[in-house]
Amino acid sequence: MRYTVRLDDRTREWLIFDVMDTFELVGMFKSEEEAKEQASRLEQKWQRTQSYSRDILPGIA
């Protein structure tokens, strides 16, 4: 899984991080549900992109 959701104890906001290559903040949300939904959408989009890249450019990806 490329994205992870964590609660910031100080601000009480839900944070989405891209943990694939670096630990990069992607978004901040007031509710856990919103954060998890967005992380799921991002994950699906990334997986589709990876699938297309392998299909179109098999020797490069």
Side-chain angles (χ1 to χ4, degrees):
M1 185 145 194
R2 181 177 185 135
Y3 299 95
T4 189
V5 175
R6 297 285 183 253
L7 177 63
D8 183 319
D9 293 329
R10 189 175 50 81
T11 64
R12 306 305 295 169
E13 290 183 305
W14 290 90
L15 310 175
I16 300 175
F17 291 97
D18 179 346
V19 294
M20 184 62 111
D21 296 323
T22 61
F23 202 73
E24 180 181 349
L25 177 64
V26 176
M28 301 165 55
F29 297 85
K30 293 291 183 191
S31 77
E32 181 180 17
E33 182 179 339
E34 286 179 307
K36 286 185 174 181
E37 287 175 3
Q38 179 64 17
S40 177
R41 284 192 291 270
L42 289 168
E43 186 74 28
Q44 290 172 2
K45 181 178 178 181
W46 177 72
Q47 287 178 359
R48 281 193 310 268
T49 301
Q50 293 304 302
S51 175
Y52 293 140
S53 295
R54 283 190 300 266
D55 293 344
I56 295 171
L57 303 170
I60 297 172

Coordinates of all heavy atoms in Angstrom, one line a residue:
M1 N 0.8 -1.2 0.0 CA 0.0 0.0 0.0 C 0.9 1.2 0.0 O 1.8 1.3 0.8 CB -0.9 0.0 1.2 CG -1.9 1.1 1.3 SD -3.4 0.4 2.0 CE -4.5 1.7 1.6
R2 N 0.6 2.2 -0.9 CA 1.4 3.4 -1.0 C 1.0 4.5 0.0 O 1.9 5.2 0.4 CB 1.2 3.9 -2.4 CG 2.0 5.1 -2.7 CD 1.9 5.6 -4.1 NE 2.9 6.7 -4.2 CZ 3.7 6.9 -5.2 NH1 3.7 6.0 -6.2 NH2 4.5 7.9 -5.3
Y3 N -0.2 4.6 0.4 CA -0.7 5.7 1.2 C -1.1 5.1 2.6 O -1.6 4.1 2.7 CB -1.9 6.4 0.6 CG -1.5 7.0 -0.7 CD1 -1.7 6.3 -1.9 CD2 -0.9 8.2 -0.8 CE1 -1.4 6.9 -3.1 CE2 -0.5 8.8 -2.0 CZ -0.7 8.1 -3.2 OH -0.4 8.6 -4.4
T4 N -0.8 5.9 3.6 CA -1.2 5.6 5.0 C -1.9 6.8 5.7 O -1.6 7.9 5.3 CB 0.0 5.1 5.8 OG1 -0.4 4.6 7.0 CG2 1.0 6.2 6.1
V5 N -2.8 6.5 6.6 CA -3.5 7.5 7.3 C -3.1 7.5 8.8 O -3.1 6.4 9.4 CB -5.0 7.3 7.1 CG1 -5.8 8.3 8.0 CG2 -5.5 7.4 5.7
R6 N -2.8 8.6 9.3 CA -2.4 8.7 10.7 C -3.1 9.9 11.4 O -3.3 11.0 10.7 CB -0.9 8.9 10.9 CG -0.1 7.8 10.3 CD -0.2 6.6 11.3 NE 0.7 5.5 10.8 CZ 0.2 4.4 10.3 NH1 -1.1 4.2 10.2 NH2 1.0 3.4 10.0
L7 N -3.4 9.8 12.7 CA -3.9 10.9 13.4 C -2.8 11.7 14.0 O -1.9 11.2 14.7 CB -4.8 10.4 14.6 CG -5.4 11.4 15.5 CD1 -6.3 12.4 14.8 CD2 -6.1 10.8 16.6
D8 N -2.8 13.1 13.8 CA -1.8 14.0 14.5 C -2.4 14.3 15.9 O -3.4 14.9 16.0 CB -1.7 15.2 13.6 CG -0.6 16.2 14.2 OD1 -0.6 16.3 15.4 OD2 0.1 16.7 13.4
D9 N -1.6 13.8 16.9 CA -2.1 14.0 18.3 C -2.2 15.5 18.7 O -3.0 15.8 19.5 CB -1.1 13.3 19.2 CG -1.2 11.8 19.1 OD1 -2.3 11.3 18.7 OD2 -0.2 11.1 19.3
R10 N -1.4 16.3 18.1 CA -1.3 17.7 18.5 C -2.5 18.5 17.9 O -3.2 19.2 18.6 CB 0.0 18.3 18.0 CG 0.2 19.7 18.6 CD 1.6 20.3 18.2 NE 1.9 20.1 16.8 CZ 1.5 21.0 15.8 NH1 0.8 22.0 16.1 NH2 1.9 20.8 14.6
T11 N -2.7 18.3 16.6 CA -3.8 19.1 15.9 C -5.1 18.3 15.8 O -6.1 18.9 15.5 CB -3.4 19.4 14.4 OG1 -3.3 18.2 13.7 CG2 -2.1 20.2 14.4
R12 N -5.1 17.0 16.1 CA -6.3 16.1 16.0 C -6.8 16.1 14.6 O -8.0 15.8 14.4 CB -7.4 16.6 17.0 CG -7.0 16.7 18.4 CD -6.4 15.5 19.0 NE -7.3 14.4 19.1 CZ -6.9 13.1 19.4 NH1 -5.7 12.9 19.6 NH2 -7.8 12.2 19.4
E13 N -6.0 16.3 13.6 CA -6.3 16.1 12.2 C -5.8 14.8 11.7 O -4.8 14.3 12.2 CB -5.7 17.2 11.4 CG -6.4 18.6 11.6 CD -5.9 19.7 10.7 OE1 -4.6 19.8 10.7 OE2 -6.7 20.3 10.1
W14 N -6.5 14.2 10.7 CA -6.1 13.0 10.1 C -5.2 13.3 8.9 O -5.6 14.1 8.0 CB -7.3 12.2 9.7 CG -8.0 11.7 10.9 CD1 -9.0 12.3 11.6 CD2 -7.7 10.4 11.6 NE1 -9.3 11.5 12.7 CE2 -8.6 10.4 12.7 CE3 -6.8 9.4 11.4 CZ2 -8.6 9.3 13.6 CZ3 -6.8 8.3 12.2 CH2 -7.7 8.3 13.3
L15 N -4.1 12.7 8.8 CA -3.1 13.0 7.8 C -2.9 11.8 6.8 O -2.9 10.7 7.3 CB -1.7 13.4 8.4 CG -1.8 14.4 9.5 CD1 -0.4 14.5 10.2 CD2 -2.3 15.7 9.0
I16 N -2.7 12.1 5.6 CA -2.4 11.1 4.6 C -1.0 11.3 4.2 O -0.6 12.4 3.8 CB -3.3 11.2 3.3 CG1 -4.8 11.0 3.7 CG2 -2.9 10.1 2.3 CD1 -5.7 11.2 2.5
F17 N -0.2 10.2 4.2 CA 1.2 10.2 3.8 C 1.4 9.3 2.6 O 0.9 8.2 2.6 CB 2.1 9.8 5.0 CG 2.2 10.8 6.1 CD1 1.4 10.6 7.2 CD2 3.0 11.9 6.0 CE1 1.4 11.5 8.2 CE2 3.1 12.8 7.0 CZ 2.3 12.6 8.2
D18 N 2.2 9.7 1.7 CA 2.7 8.8 0.6 C 4.0 8.2 1.2 O 5.0 8.9 1.4 CB 3.0 9.6 -0.6 CG 3.6 8.8 -1.8 OD1 4.0 7.7 -1.6 OD2 3.6 9.3 -2.9
V19 N 4.0 6.9 1.4 CA 5.2 6.2 2.0 C 5.9 5.4 1.0 O 6.8 4.5 1.4 CB 4.7 5.4 3.2 CG1 4.2 6.3 4.3 CG2 3.7 4.4 2.8
M20 N 5.7 5.6 -0.3 CA 6.4 4.7 -1.3 C 7.9 5.0 -1.3 O 8.7 4.1 -1.1 CB 5.8 5.0 -2.7 CG 6.4 4.1 -3.7 SD 6.0 2.3 -3.3 CE 4.9 2.0 -4.6
D21 N 8.3 6.1 -1.7 CA 9.7 6.5 -1.8 C 10.2 7.3 -0.6 O 11.3 7.2 -0.1 CB 10.0 7.2 -3.1 CG 9.8 6.3 -4.3 OD1 10.0 5.0 -4.2 OD2 9.3 6.8 -5.3
T22 N 9.4 8.3 -0.3 CA 9.7 9.2 0.8 C 8.4 9.3 1.7 O 7.3 8.8 1.3 CB 10.0 10.6 0.3 OG1 8.9 11.1 -0.4 CG2 11.2 10.6 -0.6
F23 N 8.5 9.9 2.8 CA 7.4 10.0 3.8 C 6.8 11.4 3.5 O 7.2 12.4 4.2 CB 7.9 9.8 5.2 CG 6.8 9.4 6.1 CD1 6.2 8.2 6.1 CD2 6.3 10.3 7.0 CE1 5.2 7.8 6.9 CE2 5.3 10.0 7.9 CZ 4.7 8.7 7.9
E24 N 6.0 11.6 2.5 CA 5.5 12.9 2.1 C 4.0 13.1 2.5 O 3.2 12.2 2.2 CB 5.6 13.0 0.6 CG 5.1 14.3 0.0 CD 5.2 14.3 -1.5 OE1 5.9 13.4 -2.1 OE2 4.7 15.3 -2.1
L25 N 3.7 14.2 3.1 CA 2.4 14.6 3.5 C 1.6 14.9 2.2 O 2.0 15.7 1.4 CB 2.4 15.8 4.4 CG 1.0 16.3 4.8 CD1 0.2 15.2 5.7 CD2 1.1 17.6 5.6
V26 N 0.4 14.2 2.1 CA -0.4 14.4 0.9 C -1.7 15.2 1.2 O -2.1 16.0 0.4 CB -0.9 13.0 0.3 CG1 -1.8 13.2 -0.9 CG2 0.4 12.2 -0.1
G27 N -2.2 15.0 2.4 CA -3.4 15.8 2.7 C -3.8 15.7 4.2 O -3.2 14.9 4.9
M28 N -4.6 16.7 4.6 CA -5.0 16.8 6.0 C -6.6 16.8 6.1 O -7.2 17.6 5.3 CB -4.4 18.0 6.7 CG -2.9 18.0 6.6 SD -2.2 19.6 7.0 CE -2.9 20.1 8.5
F29 N -7.2 16.1 7.0 CA -8.6 16.0 7.0 C -9.1 16.1 8.5 O -8.4 15.6 9.4 CB -9.1 14.7 6.4 CG -8.8 14.6 4.9 CD1 -7.5 14.2 4.5 CD2 -9.7 15.1 4.0 CE1 -7.2 14.1 3.2 CE2 -9.4 15.0 2.6 CZ -8.1 14.6 2.2
K30 N -10.3 16.6 8.7 CA -10.9 16.6 10.0 C -11.4 15.3 10.5 O -11.5 15.0 11.7 CB -12.0 17.7 10.0 CG -11.6 19.1 9.8 CD -10.8 19.5 11.0 CE -10.4 21.0 10.9 NZ -9.4 21.4 11.9
S31 N -11.8 14.4 9.6 CA -12.4 13.1 10.0 C -11.6 12.0 9.4 O -11.0 12.1 8.3 CB -13.9 13.0 9.6 OG -14.0 12.7 8.2
E32 N -11.6 10.9 10.2 CA -10.9 9.7 9.7 C -11.5 9.1 8.5 O -10.8 8.7 7.6 CB -10.9 8.6 10.9 CG -10.2 7.4 10.5 CD -10.2 6.3 11.6 OE1 -11.1 6.5 12.5 OE2 -9.4 5.4 11.6
E33 N -12.8 9.2 8.4 CA -13.5 8.6 7.3 C -13.2 9.4 6.0 O -12.9 8.7 5.0 CB -15.1 8.8 7.5 CG -15.9 8.2 6.4 CD -17.4 8.3 6.6 OE1 -17.8 8.5 7.8 OE2 -18.1 8.3 5.6
E34 N -13.1 10.7 6.0 CA -12.7 11.5 4.9 C -11.3 11.1 4.4 O -11.0 11.0 3.2 CB -12.8 13.0 5.1 CG -14.1 13.5 5.2 CD -14.1 15.0 5.5 OE1 -13.4 15.4 6.5 OE2 -14.7 15.8 4.8
A35 N -10.4 11.0 5.4 CA -9.0 10.7 5.1 C -8.9 9.3 4.5 O -8.1 9.2 3.5 CB -8.2 10.8 6.3
K36 N -9.6 8.4 5.0 CA -9.5 7.0 4.5 C -10.1 6.9 3.1 O -9.5 6.2 2.2 CB -10.1 6.0 5.4 CG -9.3 5.8 6.7 CD -9.9 4.7 7.5 CE -9.0 4.4 8.7 NZ -9.5 3.3 9.5
E37 N -11.2 7.6 2.8 CA -11.8 7.6 1.5 C -10.8 8.2 0.5 O -10.7 7.7 -0.6 CB -13.1 8.4 1.5 CG -14.2 7.7 2.2 CD -15.5 8.5 2.3 OE1 -15.5 9.6 1.8 OE2 -16.4 8.0 2.9
Q38 N -10.2 9.3 0.8 CA -9.2 10.0 -0.1 C -8.0 9.1 -0.3 O -7.6 9.0 -1.5 CB -8.8 11.4 0.5 CG -7.8 12.1 -0.4 CD -8.4 12.4 -1.8 OE1 -9.6 12.4 -2.0 NE2 -7.5 12.8 -2.7
A39 N -7.5 8.5 0.7 CA -6.4 7.6 0.6 C -6.7 6.4 -0.3 O -5.9 6.0 -1.2 CB -5.9 7.1 1.9
S40 N -7.9 5.9 -0.2 CA -8.4 4.8 -1.1 C -8.4 5.3 -2.5 O -8.0 4.6 -3.4 CB -9.7 4.3 -0.6 OG -10.2 3.3 -1.5
R41 N -9.0 6.5 -2.8 CA -9.0 7.0 -4.2 C -7.6 7.2 -4.7 O -7.4 6.9 -5.9 CB -9.8 8.3 -4.2 CG -11.3 8.2 -4.1 CD -12.0 9.5 -4.4 NE -11.8 10.5 -3.4 CZ -12.6 10.7 -2.3 NH1 -13.6 9.9 -2.1 NH2 -12.3 11.6 -1.5
L42 N -6.7 7.7 -3.9 CA -5.4 7.9 -4.4 C -4.7 6.6 -4.7 O -4.0 6.4 -5.7 CB -4.5 8.7 -3.3 CG -4.9 10.1 -3.1 CD1 -4.2 10.7 -1.9 CD2 -4.5 10.9 -4.3
E43 N -4.9 5.6 -3.9 CA -4.3 4.3 -4.1 C -4.9 3.6 -5.4 O -4.1 3.1 -6.2 CB -4.7 3.4 -2.9 CG -4.0 2.0 -2.9 CD -2.5 2.1 -2.6 OE1 -2.1 3.0 -1.8 OE2 -1.8 1.2 -3.1
Q44 N -6.2 3.7 -5.6 CA -6.8 3.2 -6.8 C -6.2 3.9 -8.1 O -5.9 3.2 -9.1 CB -8.3 3.3 -6.8 CG -8.9 2.4 -5.8 CD -10.4 2.7 -5.6 OE1 -11.0 3.6 -6.3 NE2 -11.0 2.0 -4.7
K45 N -6.1 5.2 -8.0 CA -5.5 6.0 -9.1 C -4.1 5.6 -9.4 O -3.7 5.4 -10.5 CB -5.6 7.5 -8.8 CG -5.1 8.3 -9.9 CD -5.2 9.8 -9.6 CE -4.7 10.7 -10.7 NZ -4.8 12.1 -10.4
W46 N -3.3 5.4 -8.3 CA -1.9 5.0 -8.5 C -1.8 3.6 -9.1 O -1.0 3.4 -10.0 CB -1.2 5.1 -7.2 CG 0.2 4.6 -7.2 CD1 1.3 5.3 -7.8 CD2 0.7 3.4 -6.8 NE1 2.4 4.5 -7.7 CE2 2.1 3.3 -7.1 CE3 0.2 2.3 -6.1 CZ2 2.9 2.2 -6.7 CZ3 1.0 1.2 -5.8 CH2 2.3 1.2 -6.1
Q47 N -2.7 2.7 -8.7 CA -2.6 1.3 -9.2 C -3.0 1.3 -10.7 O -2.4 0.6 -11.4 CB -3.5 0.4 -8.4 CG -2.9 0.1 -7.0 CD -3.8 -0.8 -6.2 OE1 -5.0 -1.1 -6.5 NE2 -3.4 -1.1 -5.0
R48 N -4.0 2.1 -11.0 CA -4.4 2.2 -12.5 C -3.3 2.7 -13.3 O -3.0 2.2 -14.4 CB -5.7 3.0 -12.6 CG -6.9 2.4 -12.3 CD -8.2 3.1 -12.8 NE -8.1 4.6 -12.4 CZ -8.7 5.1 -11.3 NH1 -9.3 4.3 -10.4 NH2 -8.6 6.4 -11.1
T49 N -2.6 3.7 -12.8 CA -1.5 4.3 -13.5 C -0.4 3.3 -13.7 O 0.2 3.2 -14.8 CB -0.9 5.5 -12.8 OG1 -2.0 6.5 -12.6 CG2 0.2 6.2 -13.5
Q50 N -0.1 2.5 -12.7 CA 1.0 1.5 -12.7 C 0.6 0.4 -13.7 O 1.4 0.0 -14.5 CB 1.2 0.9 -11.4 CG 1.8 1.8 -10.4 CD 3.1 2.4 -10.9 OE1 4.0 1.7 -11.2 NE2 3.1 3.7 -11.0
S51 N -0.7 0.0 -13.8 CA -1.2 -1.0 -14.7 C -1.0 -0.5 -16.1 O -0.5 -1.2 -17.0 CB -2.6 -1.3 -14.4 OG -3.1 -2.2 -15.3
Y52 N -1.4 0.7 -16.4 CA -1.3 1.3 -17.8 C 0.2 1.4 -18.2 O 0.5 1.1 -19.3 CB -2.0 2.6 -17.9 CG -3.5 2.6 -17.7 CD1 -4.2 3.5 -17.0 CD2 -4.2 1.5 -18.2 CE1 -5.5 3.5 -16.8 CE2 -5.6 1.4 -18.1 CZ -6.3 2.4 -17.4 OH -7.6 2.4 -17.2
S53 N 1.0 1.8 -17.3 CA 2.4 2.0 -17.6 C 3.0 0.7 -18.0 O 3.8 0.6 -18.9 CB 3.2 2.6 -16.4 OG 2.7 3.9 -16.1
R54 N 2.7 -0.4 -17.3 CA 3.3 -1.7 -17.6 C 2.7 -2.2 -19.0 O 3.4 -2.9 -19.7 CB 2.9 -2.7 -16.5 CG 3.8 -2.6 -15.3 CD 3.6 -3.7 -14.3 NE 2.2 -3.8 -13.9 CZ 1.7 -3.3 -12.7 NH1 2.5 -2.6 -12.0 NH2 0.5 -3.4 -12.4
D55 N 1.4 -1.9 -19.2 CA 0.8 -2.4 -20.5 C 1.4 -1.6 -21.7 O 1.6 -2.2 -22.7 CB -0.7 -2.2 -20.4 CG -1.3 -3.2 -19.4 OD1 -0.7 -4.2 -19.0 OD2 -2.5 -2.9 -19.1
I56 N 1.6 -0.3 -21.6 CA 2.0 0.5 -22.7 C 3.5 0.4 -22.9 O 3.9 0.4 -24.0 CB 1.5 1.9 -22.5 CG1 0.0 2.0 -22.5 CG2 2.1 2.9 -23.5 CD1 -0.6 3.3 -22.1
L57 N 4.2 0.4 -21.8 CA 5.7 0.5 -21.9 C 6.3 -0.7 -21.2 O 7.0 -0.5 -20.2 CB 6.2 1.8 -21.3 CG 5.6 3.1 -21.9 CD1 6.0 4.3 -21.1 CD2 6.1 3.2 -23.4
P58 N 6.1 -1.9 -21.7 CA 6.5 -3.1 -20.9 C 8.0 -3.2 -20.6 O 8.4 -3.7 -19.6 CB 6.1 -4.3 -21.8 CG 5.9 -3.7 -23.2 CD 5.5 -2.2 -23.0
G59 N 8.8 -2.7 -21.5 CA 10.3 -2.8 -21.3 C 10.9 -1.7 -20.4 O 12.0 -1.8 -19.9
I60 N 10.1 -0.7 -20.1 CA 10.6 0.5 -19.4 C 10.1 0.5 -17.9 O 10.9 0.8 -17.0 CB 10.2 1.8 -20.1 CG1 10.8 1.9 -21.5 CG2 10.5 3.0 -19.2 CD1 10.3 3.0 -22.3
A61 N 8.8 0.2 -17.7 CA 8.3 0.3 -16.4 C 8.7 -0.8 -15.4 O 9.2 -1.8 -15.7 CB 6.7 0.2 -16.4

